[in-house]
Amino acid sequence: ERCLRDSIGLSYLFIAAQKYGYRPFPNKIPKEHFAKLIKAVGDAGDRKLIEEWFKLDENVLEQANTDKETEPEEWEASID
Protein backbone atom coordinates (compact mmCIF):
# COMPACT_ATOMS: atom_id res chain seq x y z
CA GLU A 1 0.00 0.00 0.00
CA ARG A 2 2.79 2.40 0.89
CA CYS A 3 4.55 1.73 -2.45
CA LEU A 4 1.38 2.54 -4.34
CA ARG A 5 0.81 5.71 -2.31
CA ASP A 6 4.39 7.08 -2.35
CA SER A 7 5.63 5.95 -5.76
CA ILE A 8 5.12 7.80 -9.02
CA GLY A 9 6.24 4.88 -11.19
CA LEU A 10 5.44 1.22 -11.32
CA SER A 11 5.21 -0.79 -8.15
CA TYR A 12 5.51 -4.52 -7.69
CA LEU A 13 5.97 -7.08 -4.97
CA PHE A 14 8.48 -9.92 -5.17
CA ILE A 15 7.96 -12.92 -2.92
CA ALA A 16 10.68 -15.57 -2.89
CA ALA A 17 10.15 -18.96 -1.33
CA GLN A 18 11.55 -22.46 -1.28
CA LYS A 19 15.01 -21.19 -0.34
CA TYR A 20 16.27 -24.69 0.30
CA GLY A 21 14.25 -26.42 -2.39
CA TYR A 22 11.73 -29.15 -1.83
CA ARG A 23 11.98 -30.71 1.64
CA PRO A 24 9.73 -33.77 1.89
CA PHE A 25 8.36 -34.87 5.22
CA PRO A 26 10.43 -37.79 6.59
CA ASN A 27 8.98 -41.26 6.17
CA LYS A 28 10.55 -42.40 9.47
CA ILE A 29 10.54 -40.55 12.79
CA PRO A 30 12.59 -41.97 15.68
CA LYS A 31 10.39 -43.18 18.55
CA GLU A 32 11.67 -40.51 20.98
CA HIS A 33 11.12 -37.67 18.51
CA PHE A 34 7.65 -38.94 17.67
CA ALA A 35 6.70 -38.93 21.36
CA LYS A 36 7.85 -35.29 21.63
CA LEU A 37 5.93 -34.40 18.47
CA ILE A 38 2.69 -35.94 19.76
CA LYS A 39 3.16 -34.18 23.10
CA ALA A 40 3.63 -30.81 21.36
CA VAL A 41 0.50 -31.10 19.19
CA GLY A 42 -2.35 -29.40 21.03
CA ASP A 43 -5.36 -30.50 19.00
CA ALA A 44 -6.65 -34.04 19.65
CA GLY A 45 -7.81 -34.38 16.04
CA ASP A 46 -4.34 -33.51 14.76
CA ARG A 47 -2.75 -36.02 17.14
CA LYS A 48 -5.14 -38.73 15.92
CA LEU A 49 -4.30 -37.93 12.30
CA ILE A 50 -0.54 -38.10 12.95
CA GLU A 51 -0.90 -41.37 14.86
CA GLU A 52 -3.03 -42.77 12.00
CA TRP A 53 -0.38 -41.96 9.37
CA PHE A 54 2.70 -43.00 11.38
CA LYS A 55 2.72 -46.44 12.97
CA LEU A 56 5.44 -47.70 15.32
CA ASP A 57 7.67 -50.29 13.64
CA GLU A 58 8.90 -52.58 16.41
CA ASN A 59 10.48 -55.05 13.99
CA VAL A 60 13.78 -53.13 13.70
CA LEU A 61 16.72 -52.49 16.03
CA GLU A 62 16.06 -48.76 16.26
CA GLN A 63 12.31 -48.41 16.65
CA ALA A 64 10.73 -45.65 14.60
CA ASN A 65 7.32 -44.51 13.47
CA THR A 66 7.02 -45.04 9.73
CA ASP A 67 4.48 -43.61 7.35
CA LYS A 68 1.99 -45.97 5.83
CA GLU A 69 2.36 -46.95 2.19
CA THR A 70 -0.11 -44.99 0.11
CA GLU A 71 -1.12 -44.42 -3.45
CA PRO A 72 -1.60 -40.87 -4.79
CA GLU A 73 -5.38 -41.35 -4.78
CA GLU A 74 -5.32 -42.00 -1.02
CA TRP A 75 -3.41 -38.76 -0.39
CA GLU A 76 -5.90 -36.79 -2.47
CA ALA A 77 -8.83 -38.38 -0.61
CA SER A 78 -7.28 -37.59 2.78
CA ILE A 79 -6.92 -33.90 1.85
CA ASP A 80 -10.65 -33.51 1.09
Side-chain angles (χ1 to χ4, degrees), residues 54-77:
F54 286 88
K55 298 294 181 187
L56 181 61
D57 183 3
E58 297 176 332
N59 197 27
V60 292
L61 292 176
E62 186 178 323
Q63 293 181 356
N65 290 72
T66 58
D67 64 348
K68 65 180 187 177
E69 299 285 327
T70 58
E71 296 296 323
E73 297 83 24
E74 291 182 61
W75 281 100
E76 291 172 8

mmCIF file of all heavy atoms in Angstrom, residues 54-77:
data_model
loop_
_atom_site.group_PDB
_atom_site.id
_atom_site.type_symbol
_atom_site.label_atom_id
_atom_site.label_comp_id
_atom_site.label_asym_id
_atom_site.label_seq_id
_atom_site.Cartn_x
_atom_site.Cartn_y
_atom_site.Cartn_z
ATOM 1 N N PHE A 54 1.391 -42.478 10.973
ATOM 2 C CA PHE A 54 2.702 -43.000 11.376
ATOM 3 C C PHE A 54 2.517 -44.073 12.431
ATOM 4 O O PHE A 54 2.080 -43.801 13.542
ATOM 5 C CB PHE A 54 3.592 -41.882 11.937
ATOM 6 C CG PHE A 54 4.124 -40.960 10.889
ATOM 7 C CD1 PHE A 54 3.399 -39.856 10.487
ATOM 8 C CD2 PHE A 54 5.341 -41.208 10.281
ATOM 9 C CE1 PHE A 54 3.885 -39.009 9.504
ATOM 10 C CE2 PHE A 54 5.836 -40.373 9.304
ATOM 11 C CZ PHE A 54 5.099 -39.270 8.909
ATOM 12 N N LYS A 55 2.840 -45.305 12.064
ATOM 13 C CA LYS A 55 2.721 -46.445 12.973
ATOM 14 C C LYS A 55 4.102 -46.864 13.468
ATOM 15 O O LYS A 55 5.078 -46.842 12.713
ATOM 16 C CB LYS A 55 2.055 -47.625 12.267
ATOM 17 C CG LYS A 55 0.641 -47.348 11.809
ATOM 18 C CD LYS A 55 -0.264 -47.139 12.999
ATOM 19 C CE LYS A 55 -1.691 -46.874 12.544
ATOM 20 N NZ LYS A 55 -2.553 -46.518 13.635
ATOM 21 N N LEU A 56 4.183 -47.274 14.725
ATOM 22 C CA LEU A 56 5.444 -47.701 15.317
ATOM 23 C C LEU A 56 5.878 -49.032 14.724
ATOM 24 O O LEU A 56 5.130 -50.006 14.745
ATOM 25 C CB LEU A 56 5.307 -47.816 16.835
ATOM 26 C CG LEU A 56 6.563 -48.241 17.582
ATOM 27 C CD1 LEU A 56 7.683 -47.224 17.369
ATOM 28 C CD2 LEU A 56 6.270 -48.398 19.061
ATOM 29 N N ASP A 57 7.078 -49.067 14.190
ATOM 30 C CA ASP A 57 7.666 -50.294 13.635
ATOM 31 C C ASP A 57 8.588 -50.885 14.690
ATOM 32 O O ASP A 57 9.685 -50.397 14.923
ATOM 33 C CB ASP A 57 8.438 -49.975 12.353
ATOM 34 C CG ASP A 57 9.009 -51.212 11.688
ATOM 35 O OD1 ASP A 57 8.759 -52.327 12.188
ATOM 36 O OD2 ASP A 57 9.706 -51.057 10.667
ATOM 37 N N GLU A 58 8.128 -51.939 15.348
ATOM 38 C CA GLU A 58 8.900 -52.579 16.414
ATOM 39 C C GLU A 58 9.771 -53.712 15.896
ATOM 40 O O GLU A 58 10.460 -54.362 16.666
ATOM 41 C CB GLU A 58 7.954 -53.097 17.494
ATOM 42 C CG GLU A 58 7.171 -51.995 18.167
ATOM 43 C CD GLU A 58 6.167 -52.516 19.171
ATOM 44 O OE1 GLU A 58 5.683 -53.665 18.996
ATOM 45 O OE2 GLU A 58 5.875 -51.791 20.127
ATOM 46 N N ASN A 59 9.760 -53.934 14.584
ATOM 47 C CA ASN A 59 10.480 -55.048 13.994
ATOM 48 C C ASN A 59 11.861 -54.624 13.473
ATOM 49 O O ASN A 59 12.365 -55.200 12.527
ATOM 50 C CB ASN A 59 9.641 -55.655 12.864
ATOM 51 C CG ASN A 59 10.106 -57.027 12.473
ATOM 52 O OD1 ASN A 59 10.676 -57.746 13.277
ATOM 53 N ND2 ASN A 59 9.882 -57.386 11.224
ATOM 54 N N VAL A 60 12.452 -53.619 14.077
ATOM 55 C CA VAL A 60 13.779 -53.131 13.700
ATOM 56 C C VAL A 60 14.577 -52.862 14.975
ATOM 57 O O VAL A 60 14.014 -52.750 16.063
ATOM 58 C CB VAL A 60 13.694 -51.844 12.834
ATOM 59 C CG1 VAL A 60 13.097 -52.134 11.480
ATOM 60 C CG2 VAL A 60 12.910 -50.767 13.533
ATOM 61 N N LEU A 61 15.897 -52.766 14.847
ATOM 62 C CA LEU A 61 16.723 -52.494 16.029
ATOM 63 C C LEU A 61 16.428 -51.125 16.618
ATOM 64 O O LEU A 61 16.274 -50.978 17.826
ATOM 65 C CB LEU A 61 18.205 -52.595 15.663
ATOM 66 C CG LEU A 61 18.701 -54.002 15.319
ATOM 67 C CD1 LEU A 61 20.161 -53.957 14.888
ATOM 68 C CD2 LEU A 61 18.512 -54.937 16.498
ATOM 69 N N GLU A 62 16.384 -50.104 15.780
ATOM 70 C CA GLU A 62 16.062 -48.757 16.257
ATOM 71 C C GLU A 62 14.613 -48.463 15.909
ATOM 72 O O GLU A 62 14.280 -48.170 14.764
ATOM 73 C CB GLU A 62 16.974 -47.720 15.598
ATOM 74 C CG GLU A 62 16.799 -46.332 16.159
ATOM 75 C CD GLU A 62 17.757 -45.338 15.530
ATOM 76 O OE1 GLU A 62 18.915 -45.715 15.259
ATOM 77 O OE2 GLU A 62 17.343 -44.207 15.314
ATOM 78 N N GLN A 63 13.736 -48.581 16.916
ATOM 79 C CA GLN A 63 12.313 -48.412 16.655
ATOM 80 C C GLN A 63 12.013 -47.004 16.148
ATOM 81 O O GLN A 63 12.581 -46.022 16.621
ATOM 82 C CB GLN A 63 11.501 -48.700 17.910
ATOM 83 C CG GLN A 63 11.567 -50.143 18.328
ATOM 84 C CD GLN A 63 10.736 -50.420 19.550
ATOM 85 O OE1 GLN A 63 10.163 -49.535 20.148
ATOM 86 N NE2 GLN A 63 10.674 -51.691 19.923
ATOM 87 N N ALA A 64 11.110 -46.935 15.174
ATOM 88 C CA ALA A 64 10.731 -45.651 14.597
ATOM 89 C C ALA A 64 9.300 -45.735 14.112
ATOM 90 O O ALA A 64 8.794 -46.814 13.816
ATOM 91 C CB ALA A 64 11.650 -45.280 13.441
ATOM 92 N N ASN A 65 8.648 -44.587 14.045
ATOM 93 C CA ASN A 65 7.318 -44.513 13.475
ATOM 94 C C ASN A 65 7.470 -44.273 11.981
ATOM 95 O O ASN A 65 8.128 -43.327 11.570
ATOM 96 C CB ASN A 65 6.512 -43.389 14.119
ATOM 97 C CG ASN A 65 6.149 -43.706 15.545
ATOM 98 O OD1 ASN A 65 7.005 -43.682 16.415
ATOM 99 N ND2 ASN A 65 4.910 -44.042 15.768
ATOM 100 N N THR A 66 6.883 -45.151 11.176
ATOM 101 C CA THR A 66 7.018 -45.038 9.729
ATOM 102 C C THR A 66 5.669 -44.699 9.118
ATOM 103 O O THR A 66 4.617 -45.095 9.632
ATOM 104 C CB THR A 66 7.545 -46.341 9.109
ATOM 105 O OG1 THR A 66 6.662 -47.404 9.445
ATOM 106 C CG2 THR A 66 8.930 -46.665 9.613
ATOM 107 N N ASP A 67 5.725 -43.960 8.014
ATOM 108 C CA ASP A 67 4.479 -43.611 7.349
ATOM 109 C C ASP A 67 3.923 -44.824 6.632
ATOM 110 O O ASP A 67 4.646 -45.722 6.246
ATOM 111 C CB ASP A 67 4.658 -42.433 6.394
ATOM 112 C CG ASP A 67 5.604 -42.732 5.239
ATOM 113 O OD1 ASP A 67 6.293 -43.761 5.278
ATOM 114 O OD2 ASP A 67 5.652 -41.926 4.314
ATOM 115 N N LYS A 68 2.595 -44.832 6.492
ATOM 116 C CA LYS A 68 1.985 -45.968 5.828
ATOM 117 C C LYS A 68 2.133 -45.820 4.322
ATOM 118 O O LYS A 68 2.172 -44.719 3.792
ATOM 119 C CB LYS A 68 0.525 -46.130 6.239
ATOM 120 C CG LYS A 68 -0.397 -45.010 5.826
ATOM 121 C CD LYS A 68 -1.798 -45.307 6.310
ATOM 122 C CE LYS A 68 -2.785 -44.305 5.766
ATOM 123 N NZ LYS A 68 -4.139 -44.615 6.151
ATOM 124 N N GLU A 69 2.242 -46.954 3.647
ATOM 125 C CA GLU A 69 2.364 -46.952 2.193
ATOM 126 C C GLU A 69 1.044 -46.472 1.601
ATOM 127 O O GLU A 69 -0.019 -46.949 1.972
ATOM 128 C CB GLU A 69 2.663 -48.364 1.695
ATOM 129 C CG GLU A 69 3.954 -48.939 2.226
ATOM 130 C CD GLU A 69 5.180 -48.339 1.566
ATOM 131 O OE1 GLU A 69 5.104 -47.998 0.378
ATOM 132 O OE2 GLU A 69 6.200 -48.208 2.255
ATOM 133 N N THR A 70 1.114 -45.513 0.700
ATOM 134 C CA THR A 70 -0.113 -44.992 0.109
ATOM 135 C C THR A 70 0.049 -44.801 -1.384
ATOM 136 O O THR A 70 1.154 -44.684 -1.897
ATOM 137 C CB THR A 70 -0.498 -43.633 0.715
ATOM 138 O OG1 THR A 70 0.584 -42.733 0.514
ATOM 139 C CG2 THR A 70 -0.799 -43.750 2.189
ATOM 140 N N GLU A 71 -1.055 -44.748 -2.033
ATOM 141 C CA GLU A 71 -1.121 -44.422 -3.449
ATOM 142 C C GLU A 71 -1.554 -42.961 -3.551
ATOM 143 O O GLU A 71 -2.186 -42.430 -2.636
ATOM 144 C CB GLU A 71 -2.148 -45.324 -4.151
ATOM 145 C CG GLU A 71 -1.783 -46.795 -4.124
ATOM 146 C CD GLU A 71 -0.496 -47.095 -4.884
ATOM 147 O OE1 GLU A 71 -0.251 -46.468 -5.922
ATOM 148 O OE2 GLU A 71 0.275 -47.949 -4.420
ATOM 149 N N PRO A 72 -1.221 -42.277 -4.645
ATOM 150 C CA PRO A 72 -1.598 -40.868 -4.795
ATOM 151 C C PRO A 72 -3.085 -40.603 -4.568
ATOM 152 O O PRO A 72 -3.454 -39.575 -4.006
ATOM 153 C CB PRO A 72 -1.188 -40.540 -6.224
ATOM 154 C CG PRO A 72 -0.096 -41.503 -6.538
ATOM 155 C CD PRO A 72 -0.434 -42.746 -5.771
ATOM 156 N N GLU A 73 -3.941 -41.548 -4.964
ATOM 157 C CA GLU A 73 -5.380 -41.354 -4.785
ATOM 158 C C GLU A 73 -5.742 -41.257 -3.302
ATOM 159 O O GLU A 73 -6.620 -40.502 -2.912
ATOM 160 C CB GLU A 73 -6.165 -42.505 -5.433
ATOM 161 C CG GLU A 73 -5.992 -42.624 -6.932
ATOM 162 C CD GLU A 73 -4.729 -43.378 -7.334
ATOM 163 O OE1 GLU A 73 -4.204 -44.190 -6.542
ATOM 164 O OE2 GLU A 73 -4.249 -43.135 -8.452
ATOM 165 N N GLU A 74 -5.047 -42.046 -2.457
ATOM 166 C CA GLU A 74 -5.319 -42.004 -1.024
ATOM 167 C C GLU A 74 -4.943 -40.649 -0.437
ATOM 168 O O GLU A 74 -5.634 -40.124 0.427
ATOM 169 C CB GLU A 74 -4.549 -43.108 -0.297
ATOM 170 C CG GLU A 74 -5.052 -44.498 -0.601
ATOM 171 C CD GLU A 74 -4.279 -45.539 0.175
ATOM 172 O OE1 GLU A 74 -4.316 -45.495 1.420
ATOM 173 O OE2 GLU A 74 -3.627 -46.378 -0.469
ATOM 174 N N TRP A 75 -3.825 -40.075 -0.882
ATOM 175 C CA TRP A 75 -3.415 -38.759 -0.389
ATOM 176 C C TRP A 75 -4.450 -37.715 -0.761
ATOM 177 O O TRP A 75 -4.839 -36.895 0.052
ATOM 178 C CB TRP A 75 -2.054 -38.367 -0.978
ATOM 179 C CG TRP A 75 -0.915 -39.014 -0.289
ATOM 180 C CD1 TRP A 75 -0.217 -40.100 -0.703
ATOM 181 C CD2 TRP A 75 -0.321 -38.637 0.962
ATOM 182 N NE1 TRP A 75 0.757 -40.422 0.201
ATOM 183 C CE2 TRP A 75 0.714 -39.538 1.226
ATOM 184 C CE3 TRP A 75 -0.596 -37.628 1.868
ATOM 185 C CZ2 TRP A 75 1.494 -39.444 2.368
ATOM 186 C CZ3 TRP A 75 0.191 -37.540 3.007
ATOM 187 C CH2 TRP A 75 1.208 -38.453 3.247
ATOM 188 N N GLU A 76 -4.905 -37.765 -2.016
ATOM 189 C CA GLU A 76 -5.904 -36.788 -2.467
ATOM 190 C C GLU A 76 -7.195 -36.935 -1.670
ATOM 191 O O GLU A 76 -7.799 -35.945 -1.275
ATOM 192 C CB GLU A 76 -6.172 -36.959 -3.962
ATOM 193 C CG GLU A 76 -5.001 -36.550 -4.814
ATOM 194 C CD GLU A 76 -5.179 -36.887 -6.285
ATOM 195 O OE1 GLU A 76 -6.289 -37.302 -6.682
ATOM 196 O OE2 GLU A 76 -4.204 -36.736 -7.039
ATOM 197 N N ALA A 77 -7.601 -38.160 -1.381
ATOM 198 C CA ALA A 77 -8.827 -38.385 -0.613
ATOM 199 C C ALA A 77 -8.675 -37.895 0.821
ATOM 200 O O ALA A 77 -9.622 -37.385 1.401
ATOM 201 C CB ALA A 77 -9.182 -39.864 -0.637
#
